[in-house]
Amino acid sequence: MAEEPRRKRKKSNAAVWAVLALLILALGGFGIGGFGGSVQNVAEVGDREITVQDYANAVRAEQTRLQQQTGQNLTFQQMQAFGLDQQIMERLLARAALGHEADRLGVSVTDAEIARRIRATQAFQGVDGSFDREGYRFALQNAGFDERSYEAQVRDDAAREILQAAIVGGTEAPDAYTDRLAAWIAETRDVTLATVTEEDLPGGLEDPTEADLEAFYDAHPETFETPERRAITYAWVTPDLLAAEIEPDEETLRQLYEDRADEFRQPPRVLAERLAFPDEDAAQGARDAIAAGETDFDALVADRGLTLEEVDQGELARDDLDPAVGDALFGIDEPGVVGPVETPLGPALYRVNAILDATEVPFEDVRDDLAYAFGMDSARRRIDAAREDIEDRLAGGATLEELGAETDMVTGSLEWDPSISEAIAGYEEFREAATQAQVDDFPEVTSLSDGGLFALRLDEVIPPAVPPLDDIREEVAEAWRAETLRLRLSERAETLAADPTPDVVTAPESLTGIARDATVEGVPPAVIQRIFEAEPGEIFAAGGDDGRAFVVRLDAVNAADLAEGEAAELRQAVRQQTESEIQSDLFGAYARAIELEAGFSVDAQALAAVQSQLGG
């Protein structure tokens, strides 16, 4: 119920064209012809075919969408693990079914409407916001389309949209359902809450006896069982271990400083944004409007459908710019708008947001950093050069202990389990090798992420075990105390709930307007849930954590006014989500009915082939 309601689907095709525009741009580097062969189709619905390339394009489009939403680049295997490949095929089947039905019903749109939709697609617009014929042709060519096939696809999409709108149009959520659900979500409650702590226990909590510890130890062996551990001997060397031994001379460090002068010496720079125009008159007109106070740079950017991030040029030095642009940007004494200036994109206005002076970091300030960098670089080269010798020694029968005595490697040992991540156990490469190693395996040299090397030997697998009580007495005593305190507090809270006249040390507090999804500091979510299960006037006990229990009295149940404020907004959101779900179910059922009536088939062999290429 806590899920945010989804917005109602619009009947326009804005979302369709936004995704299509991204798809056209993305397909340029994909290689649209990469799925040729004798088998061309992966599925059919009636007279509509779903080609191998249709499926590949849909997968790539989904990967692009997920990357934009999550920042993660999912592989096809990962998509399969989440069942996304099946969802993609279901969408393609539904799409083909609607296309088949639109053809059967004679649903179509005019050529003028197709032209309007294409001209309105941002991907096909020039810098001035108007339709760019050459850009349109170039984008289609990069995506593997010709104009005729693309415009036929646009016509199909428009027909499907009309059909979809006819199916789900007029769908409304029942008022009774919407009001009941919104009222349930928006309801709040007032309570009086008393916190029961150790101070409220008569006589406090006594220390455990020997018999208590033995009984608790015997009853909870799983609490004290150690995990399986692996006794490992290893030899390793990292740049950090060797760098301290490498001390470059002063001349070397000063030369390194000069080699990296661009990092330490910065010329004068400006922070600027650039907005290009189709011609000189448009640029000058914009500059004059700014000077007259009729508009500003931000408004001009917004009017073009751009964002400040899209026009930002970052830090600019004079040497990075054409002479005319450099003269304009560095010829002002304070931030402001300059131009028009001729650029490769046409006449442009620049807004200079900051003027940065030249800077220089003295050698003495970075000497230690340069020495460390030199030492690490030298250590990596030394380790890389030693690798072949180390591998030869292992192949010749040398032990890890001998490597530690005769090379730069250091030998060590540990009893490892996945909870240990210090020193060498912090490297993922070591952890993977330690997990996969078998007793009597031959040690192999493996690279570490920082340029180091290691080899390991699994000496023994130590099975899980419960240590003797004497070895873990303090741990058992601590666990006994925590469990006993929890039980005693719960019992005390139950007593107080049955006879609430005794006081508690901490004064009770009144909490008002608690929502179902509320987070109350110090109160576990389970107590909030129990509050919404109680009846008005009911007093109940609830367990807590961190040495606390609670006695709660439900004082009031507050119904929400769905006619105004946040409750009214919630009611509208519930309505929109409900209608969206009804439309989705209705539309899905209609598409499946068309598929069954028209007949559909999926070529499992062709699908497996294209999936293999996508996963490769």
Side-chain angles (χ1 to χ4, degrees):
M1 292 299 177
E3 181 183 351
E4 183 179 352
R6 294 189 293 270
R7 295 181 180 177
K8 184 176 181 180
R9 289 183 180 174
K10 297 181 179 179
K11 302 303 187 292
S12 72
N13 62 344
V16 174
W17 290 111
V19 171
L20 185 58
L22 290 172
L23 177 59
I24 289 174
L25 295 176
L27 286 178
F30 171 59
I32 196 97
F35 290 91
S38 58
V39 178
Q40 298 298 319
N41 301 326
V42 294
E44 294 179 355
V45 179
D47 59 2
R48 286 293 181 120
E49 298 173 342
I50 300 173
T51 68
V52 168
Q53 196 63 56
D54 290 337
Y55 182 77
N57 292 349
V59 170
R60 295 301 191 193
E62 182 71 4
Q63 287 176 319
T64 299
R65 185 187 68 83
L66 292 171
Q67 195 278 332
Q68 291 174 337
Q69 283 189 347
T70 67
Q72 302 290 325
N73 290 313
L74 293 185
T75 65
F76 185 72
Q77 289 87 345
Q78 291 171 320
M79 294 177 69
Q80 285 181 305
F82 290 116
L84 298 179
D85 59 321
Q86 297 178 15
Q87 294 179 22
I88 291 169
M89 177 54 73
E90 289 171 1
R91 288 199 298 267
L92 289 173
L93 289 171
R95 178 186 175 93
L98 288 175
H100 170 85
E101 185 68 359
D103 291 343
R104 189 183 71 82
L105 296 175
V107 177
S108 186
V109 294
T110 65
D111 292 342
E113 174 64 11
I114 299 304
R116 185 194 67 77
R117 292 175 181 239
I118 292 175
R119 289 178 177 276
T121 303
Q122 189 173 358
F124 305 142
Q125 294 174 358
V127 294
D128 61 352
S130 62
F131 179 69
D132 182 349
R133 161 62 68 177
E134 290 303 316
Y136 171 60
R137 184 178 294 109
F138 181 74
L140 293 185
Q141 181 179 353
N142 276 353
F145 286 97
D146 58 45
E147 292 187 37
R148 176 174 295 180
S149 62
Y150 176 70
E151 288 162 9
Q153 182 173 311
V154 173
R155 191 181 302 276
D156 277 352
D157 289 337
R160 278 190 290 265
E161 183 183 327
I162 293 172
L163 189 58
Q164 179 176 350
I167 297 166
V168 302
T171 303
E172 294 183 357
D175 288 338
Y177 176 87
T178 299
D179 292 347
R180 184 68 178 271
L181 183 56
W184 184 87
I185 296 173
E187 177 187 280
T188 64
R189 301 200 168 194
D190 302 340
V191 301
T192 298
L193 182 143
T195 302
V196 184
T197 66
E198 186 175 349
E199 295 177 278
D200 295 302
L201 298 179
L205 187 65
E206 299 178 354
D207 292 332
T209 65
E210 184 64 21
D212 290 333
L213 292 182
E214 290 178 357
F216 190 80
Y217 172 82
D218 291 338
H220 302 86
E222 70 285 349
T223 302
F224 310 107
E225 184 179 79
T226 61
E228 177 185 278
R229 294 195 170 185
R230 314 197 118 208
I232 291 173
T233 299
Y234 61 88
W236 72 320
V237 60
T238 67
D240 267 335
L241 295 174
L242 296 183
E245 305 173 7
I246 302 171
E247 180 60 39
D249 56 45
E250 197 73 5
E251 182 180 352
T252 299
L253 289 180
R254 288 194 175 274
Q255 184 58 51
L256 185 58
Y257 176 81
E258 293 300 328
D259 292 341
R260 296 170 56 180
D262 288 346
E263 298 178 33
F264 309 124
R265 297 174 186 149
Q266 292 289 333
R269 289 146 293 141
V270 296
L271 298 178
E273 297 156 334
R274 179 185 66 193
L275 184 62
F277 293 84
D279 53 51
E280 182 73 22
D281 290 341
Q284 188 60 54
R287 176 64 188 275
D288 293 342
I290 292 175
E294 298 170 358
T295 188
D296 58 27
F297 193 86
D298 289 342
L300 290 173
V301 171
D303 290 344
R304 297 280 293 281
L306 301 172
T307 66
L308 293 179
E309 289 77 12
E310 290 172 324
V311 299
D312 183 32
Q313 300 296 292
E315 290 189 13
L316 300 173
R318 183 186 284 269
D319 290 345
D320 299 330
L321 304 168
D322 290 337
V325 177
D327 291 343
L329 297 186
F330 288 88
I332 58 176
D333 297 325
E334 59 184 23
V337 177
V338 298
V341 183
E342 190 62 38
T343 73
L345 294 179
L349 297 183
Y350 282 84
R351 179 169 66 179
V352 177
N353 295 308
I355 300 173
L356 307 177
D357 294 332
T359 60
E360 180 171 354
V361 180
F363 169 77
E364 290 72 18
D365 290 354
V366 294
R367 185 190 184 285
D368 291 344
D369 292 337
L370 292 172
Y372 176 76
F374 180 87
M376 291 291 287
D377 187 56
S378 298
R380 290 189 183 95
R381 292 198 302 270
R382 179 167 156 182
I383 291 170
D384 190 56
R387 178 170 188 145
E388 185 175 352
D389 175 62
I390 293 170
E391 290 176 333
D392 288 344
R393 288 172 183 267
L394 282 176
T399 64
L400 298 180
E401 291 79 3
E402 289 171 338
L403 289 182
E406 299 170 2
T407 71
D408 286 330
M409 302 188 87
V410 176
T411 305
S413 62
L414 79 164
E415 291 183 359
W416 179 80
D417 68 67
S419 69
I420 299 173
S421 58
E422 292 80 25
I424 191 172
Y427 289 88
E428 188 59 36
E429 297 87 354
F430 174 86
R431 299 172 69 82
E432 182 177 349
T435 301
Q436 296 178 356
Q438 301 293 323
V439 175
D440 298 329
D441 278 354
F442 183 80
E444 296 182 359
V445 177
T446 303
S447 298
L448 293 170
S449 57
D450 61 358
L453 301 173
F454 78 96
L456 65 80
R457 180 182 68 234
L458 178 61
D459 299 318
E460 179 187 3
V461 176
I462 304 170
V466 179
L469 175 58
D470 288 341
D471 292 351
I472 55 171
R473 186 172 296 275
E474 290 186 6
E475 182 182 344
V476 174
E478 186 65 25
W480 177 90
R481 191 179 192 284
E483 177 66 10
T484 304
L485 179 60
R486 184 186 66 80
L487 294 174
R488 290 283 305 280
L489 289 175
S490 294
E491 292 170 358
R492 183 59 178 162
E494 293 285 356
T495 300
L496 292 173
D499 181 12
T501 54
D503 293 332
V504 292
V505 173
T506 303
E509 56 182 325
S510 295
L511 304 177
T512 60
I514 301 174
R516 290 183 183 275
D517 59 351
T519 299
V520 180
E521 184 177 0
V523 181
V527 178
I528 303 296
Q529 180 179 344
R530 179 68 179 85
I531 288 171
F532 279 86
E533 296 170 354
E535 297 295 330
E538 181 180 348
I539 299 174
F540 61 89
D545 52 18
D546 297 329
R548 292 173 300 175
F550 303 94
V551 178
V552 185
R553 182 183 67 212
L554 179 57
D555 297 325
V557 176
N558 308 312
D561 182 359
L562 300 179
E564 59 183 24
E566 292 184 1
E569 295 176 1
L570 173 65
R571 180 181 182 277
Q572 182 61 25
V574 169
R575 174 179 295 279
Q576 290 176 349
Q577 176 169 332
T578 302
E579 290 178 352
S580 176
E581 291 172 349
I582 294 173
Q583 290 169 2
S584 178
D585 291 344
L586 180 62
F587 185 69
Y590 180 79
R592 285 190 293 273
I594 295 173
E595 292 173 18
L596 293 174
E597 181 179 352
F600 73 94
S601 61
V602 177
D603 188 331
Q605 184 176 359
L607 187 62
V610 68
Q611 288 178 342
S612 176
Q613 291 190 52
L614 289 168

